[in-house]
Amino acid sequence: MILRFQGRDGQFRLTVEPTTEFASLLPQILEKLPSNTDATSVTLSNRPQGGDARLISALKGVAVKQVGLKHGDQLYLEYSKQQKLSNGHSSPPPSAPPKAPTASSAGLIRNPWETVRQSPLDDRLDNKDGKIVRGRDHKMCRHAEKGMCDYCTPLEPYAPEYLEDKKIKHLSFHSYLRKLNAGKNKPETGTSYMPPLSEPFYRVKKDCPSGHPAWPDGICTKCQPSSISLQPQPFRNVDHVEFSSFDIVNRFLDFWRNSGTQRMGLLYGRYEEYTEVPLGIKAVVEAIYEPPQIDELDGVSLGEWENEKDVEEVARLSKLEQIGVIFTDLIDAGTGDAKVLAKRHIGSYYLSSLEVMFAARLQAQHPKATKWSDTGRFGSNFITCVVSGDDEGLIAVSAFQASETAVEMVRADIIEPSADPSVVLVQSEDEDAQLGRVRYIPEVFYRRKNEYGANVQENAKPSFPVDYLLVTLTHGFPTDPNPHFLNQKFPVENRELLGEGQEIGAVAKQLGIKRTGKPNESELATAVSDFHLLCYIHSLGILSPDEEALLTKVARTHSSADAFQLFDSPGWATLVTILQESGERPPKRPLSPQHDPSQASRPACLPSESLAKRVKGVSLK
């Protein structure tokens, strides 16, 4: 059979046998490529872009027929050139990039744009122009075809007229960054560059240069925090939340449907560019992991999560990260038509004060590294989703983030939740004096419209509306779902309350491995594509790190070539043997009276009597 190969330097053909291994084709391929091609960098892919590229040297033992190639099929090559030698020595390897500052980092960073390592997505958005292209206005434009005027000039990503026209409530993070940078730095003046972002800080500064005793023995205007003026946040770090499949949310809701109690889960996924908003970012949810918790009718109490590092490792191998939290707040309306009560609306609240502080603490634990802040970090991409009833009594998902002001006020211990979920309490220094504590609480103000329609400023003590600390996000599902994990059948962790448990027999059932017979290898790539199954297999400790990496790749990419490579690994063979020994058992057929002569003449007995007789005949010795 003939296979066609295409690279950036041309295309060629090779005659191969169906049993030929890909690794043995490398010398023939190198003969067709330029002489300075690096042999270790040659990769094969089934598509010119976006395909599953694999190094040829890593395809040992994989034959052409195993991946389903036919006569005349075309493969695509990618490769790099060898580095030129300088003075008899190869060029030195690039130095390791500096690590992003952690949440415990203190103080300012000099030249953060040179030392801070941010996410690849932020780097791509930084390099984009971001301008909003407008077509020619046939009514207002009077110039030639190649001309341009005020009516067709591209707009900046933060243009208010565009946001108002598209009903975009908040600026995206990078649009807000462009807006600040345009007002703070003027490259044409030749002045030094200043980072446009600065984290809010509402705590007493340590090591004050004024020379007075440290707080609480002394304080001055240089180290005390300024008063806080609350106002709605004009931007959001994440613009949209996308659940890759409806089954993810539906399976999460099954716990409430079967128990009537609330449930909390952690969202695992990734961040991508959101094209509906200029320079926008969306969070794509691929899995929901339910940590140990005590579920009640009106809330959830989290327990100790002992295997958190193991789950994070599985997520890392799956190219995912922890991106948010989701919880339910559902009460059946009692009408018998699957309606639920609408608790959260414009007349009550959308996120309670306790939930806002919970979200703020989680965002503080997941800071966002950015080279445009003087501290090397600013805000967080961590999201909070609530499943509750809407105005029509239907189950709906809402997505939020706590504002940057809310996160810092929680860090500084300025606010506390209230019994009224729609308001937040400001801490009182008088109560601290009674408890023997010393704490500085700055003045907090907020603006609102009074009964006369005037915009007035009021003191936030003792409480203020929780809406000042919220940022709303949009959410939805893709039109053409293409989730990471195709299977949603393996039991979910920590659901013993419903009688669901993760055990070795469930793994055998998921993979189609019975006590007799071999596993169905053709469907294995789909069977292992389950995040809960991957976490359980990782907890068994049977597979090696390389085999686990290959398993998660098969679950993520559903590649047949990787699946066959996994079949040949010793760790997988050990797992299959264990599953065959203690795997799925076929159900026993009931014994009918016509096959039992001793029961033929006896009258039919009740099920409880039959069970009692069966138990009575069992010997416990």
Side-chain angles (χ1 to χ4, degrees):
M1 58 186 297
I2 295 178
L3 293 180
R4 297 179 296 160
F5 296 83
Q6 181 174 347
R8 57 177 176 266
D9 293 311
Q11 58 181 356
F12 56 90
R13 300 181 180 182
L14 291 181
T15 302
V16 300
E17 296 295 332
T19 57
T20 303
E21 296 182 0
F22 283 100
S24 62
L25 297 177
L26 183 58
Q28 302 179 49
I29 294 176
L30 290 175
E31 292 178 358
K32 307 290 185 179
L33 300 179
S35 58
N36 60 342
T37 300
D38 187 1
T40 60
S41 66
V42 181
T43 62
L44 280 177
S45 177
N46 57 343
R47 296 179 183 177
Q49 292 181 354
D52 185 16
R54 296 290 306 277
L55 288 171
I56 298 182
S57 57
L59 295 176
K60 294 181 180 179
V62 181
V64 174
K65 64 179 181 180
Q66 290 180 327
V67 297
L69 293 177
K70 303 184 298 295
H71 177 72
D73 285 350
Q74 186 169 5
L75 298 174
Y76 299 88
L77 295 170
E78 286 292 337
Y79 45 88
S80 59
K81 305 295 180 63
Q82 292 180 348
Q83 296 180 353
K84 297 182 179 180
L85 299 181
S86 175
N87 195 22
H89 299 280
S90 59
S91 58
S95 58
K99 296 182 179 180
T102 61
S104 59
S105 302
L108 305 181
I109 297 179
R110 185 176 183 180
N111 299 340
W113 55 90
E114 297 177 355
T115 59
V116 175
R117 180 183 178 184
Q118 57 185 15
S119 68
L121 175 60
D122 288 329
D123 289 333
R124 290 197 303 269
L125 293 176
D126 284 342
N127 295 328
K128 282 201 168 188
D129 178 67
K131 295 290 185 67
I132 303 170
V133 180
R134 295 188 296 174
R136 177 185 175 91
D137 192 330
H138 299 286
K139 294 182 179 180
M140 306 302 297
C141 294
R142 305 299 182 188
H143 50 76
E145 187 67 26
K146 294 185 179 181
M148 189 173 292
C149 65
D150 292 340
Y151 297 100
C152 59
T153 304
L155 298 175
E156 294 291 341
Y158 48 83
E161 59 270 24
Y162 179 82
L163 300 178
E164 183 179 358
D165 180 57
K166 297 297 182 179
K167 306 299 181 182
I168 300 176
K169 186 177 180 181
H170 299 278
L171 288 172
S172 65
F173 172 77
H174 284 270
S175 297
Y176 178 71
L177 179 62
R178 300 283 177 92
K179 183 178 181 180
L180 289 183
N181 200 27
K184 197 169 187 177
N185 295 288
K186 304 293 182 182
E188 61 274 8
T189 61
T191 57
S192 59
Y193 182 81
M194 298 176 60
L197 297 176
S198 180
E199 284 189 305
F201 192 83
Y202 303 146
R203 289 159 283 177
V204 178
K205 296 180 181 179
K206 299 180 180 179
D207 303 327
C208 182
S210 299
H212 60 76
W215 169 261
D217 297 329
I219 193 171
C220 68
T221 56
K222 293 183 179 180
C223 58
Q224 73 178 20
S226 303
S227 60
I228 304 172
S229 297
L230 298 175
Q231 54 186 348
Q233 184 169 289
F235 71 95
R236 53 192 177 190
N237 291 287
V238 176
D239 301 279
H240 184 74
V241 180
E242 179 180 288
F243 294 90
S244 61
S245 172
F246 177 75
D247 294 335
I248 299 175
V249 181
N250 190 47
R251 198 178 188 196
F252 176 70
L253 292 176
D254 285 341
F255 187 92
W256 173 79
R257 295 190 182 107
N258 297 325
S259 67
T261 57
Q262 309 307 326
R263 194 66 170 169
M264 192 276 286
L266 296 172
L267 304 177
Y268 283 91
R270 62 189 181 277
Y271 298 104
E272 296 180 353
E273 183 179 357
Y274 185 52
T275 56
E276 300 298 324
V277 175
L279 301 178
I281 296 176
K282 69 177 178 180
V284 182
V285 180
E286 295 288 353
I288 300 178
Y289 186 90
E290 301 174 12
Q293 55 193 284
I294 300 176
D295 306 296
E296 301 173 3
L297 295 176
D298 59 347
V300 172
S301 299
L302 297 179
E304 184 177 357
W305 189 10
E306 297 179 353
N307 63 330
E308 180 179 2
K309 293 184 179 179
D310 296 332
V311 177
E312 293 291 335
E313 176 63 17
V314 174
R316 185 190 66 82
L317 294 175
S318 302
K319 309 299 182 182
L320 303 177
E321 59 180 308
Q322 190 178 135
I323 63 174
V325 63
I326 184 172
F327 57 87
T328 62
D329 184 18
L330 297 167
I331 299 178
D332 188 17
T335 56
D337 54 355
K339 298 282 187 176
V340 294
L341 295 180
K343 297 174 55 179
R344 301 167 185 260
H345 48 80
I346 192 172
S348 59
Y349 64 95
Y350 290 105
L351 211 62
S352 70
S353 56
L354 180 62
E355 294 162 352
V356 168
M357 296 189 65
F358 176 66
R361 290 191 180 97
L362 291 177
Q363 290 179 209
Q365 296 173 8
H366 298 82
K368 177 177 181 175
T370 175
K371 59 185 179 182
W372 308 114
S373 172
D374 50 8
T375 58
R377 63 182 185 270
F378 186 86
S380 173
N381 286 348
F382 203 83
I383 60 176
T384 300
C385 296
V386 185
V387 184
S388 187
D390 60 7
D391 296 336
E392 300 179 358
L394 303 178
I395 297 178
V397 180
S398 302
F400 303 94
Q401 276 192 312
S403 65
E404 307 306 321
T405 300
V407 175
E408 178 56 27
M409 293 179 79
V410 170
R411 280 200 189 107
D413 200 15
I414 296 175
I415 57 177
E416 62 181 348
S418 169
D420 183 356
S422 62
V423 298
V424 182
L425 297 178
V426 180
Q427 299 273 18
S428 174
E429 294 181 353
D430 297 336
E431 296 179 359
D432 292 343
Q434 298 175 3
L435 297 175
R437 296 184 303 182
V438 179
R439 180 173 43 179
Y440 185 86
I441 304 296
E443 292 293 330
V444 183
F445 302 95
Y446 72 98
R447 305 194 70 87
R448 71 173 184 89
K449 288 186 177 181
N450 60 9
E451 61 272 17
Y452 304 105
N455 193 352
V456 297
Q457 178 174 284
E458 292 192 2
N459 196 325
K461 293 181 179 180
S463 64
F464 62 91
V466 70
D467 296 340
Y468 285 89
L469 306 180
L470 280 184
V471 179
T472 58
L473 315 180
T474 60
H475 71 280
F477 299 88
T479 306
D480 299 319
N482 185 24
H484 257 24
F485 305 109
L486 304 178
N487 208 321
Q488 299 286 339
K489 297 180 181 179
F490 192 74
V492 182
E493 58 283 335
N494 302 311
R495 285 194 176 184
E496 289 77 9
L497 179 64
L498 301 181
E500 299 181 12
Q502 293 182 336
E503 54 185 14
I504 198 71
V507 181
K509 182 178 180 180
Q510 177 98 345
L511 303 183
I513 300 176
K514 301 182 179 181
R515 294 178 64 86
T516 58
K518 296 182 179 180
N520 190 353
E521 297 180 350
S522 61
E523 300 179 357
L524 186 62
T526 303
V528 301
S529 186
D530 191 317
F531 185 74
H532 306 284
L533 175 66
L534 297 179
C535 293
Y536 182 75
I537 293 179
H538 177 82
S539 66
L540 298 177
I542 298 175
L543 303 182
S544 66
D546 293 338
E547 292 167 345
E548 283 194 4
L550 183 59
L551 173 63
T552 55
K553 185 176 182 180
V554 172
R556 186 181 77 253
T557 62
H558 325 124
S559 171
S560 300
D562 292 328
F564 281 109
Q565 185 177 354
L566 179 64
F567 296 157
D568 298 333
S569 62
W572 183 260
T574 303
L575 177 62
V576 171
T577 303
I578 295 175
L579 295 178
Q580 288 175 341
E581 291 297 328
S582 58
E584 181 185 7
R585 300 184 179 182
K588 295 182 179 180
R589 289 185 294 180
L591 188 63
S592 59
Q594 60 182 357
H595 293 89
D596 191 353
S598 61
Q599 299 288 339
S601 59
R602 297 183 182 180
C605 58
L606 297 174
S608 59
E609 296 177 358
S610 177
L611 179 61
K613 292 176 182 178
R614 289 168 56 191
V615 174
K616 184 178 180 181
V618 176
S619 176
L620 301 179
K621 295 182 180 180

